[in-house]
Amino acid sequence: RGWAPFHTPKNLATALLVEAAELAELFQWLTAEQSEDVASDAIERERVGDEAADVLLYLAQLADATGIDLEACVERKLARIAVKH
């Protein structure tokens, strides 16, 4: 679509936040119990999945744009957490 010039780290981080907010919006007014029921509702589960995919895609693009190896970062973070807790 020709969007590459706009995929700066700043713009990708902002887009990631917007998508995360859209994901949060699906749960905003639900009780804790209602939020757990989402998993058993195919339509709601798909909506959550779509927003989660958007978050993941922007995160992957941000990692690519900044040269971050997400797998290595996750492994490093989990190792730190294991030592801490």
Side-chain angles (χ1 to χ4, degrees), residues 33-70:
E33 294 79 16
Q34 288 170 325
S35 72
E36 292 172 351
D37 291 341
V38 166
S40 62
D41 182 314
I43 293 171
E44 290 303 308
R45 192 173 57 249
E46 183 174 346
R47 291 176 65 204
V48 170
D50 285 347
E51 294 305 333
D54 288 342
V55 170
L56 182 60
L57 290 168
Y58 274 116
L59 179 59
Q61 289 179 71
L62 177 60
D64 184 57
T66 55
I68 292 172
D69 179 343
L70 283 176

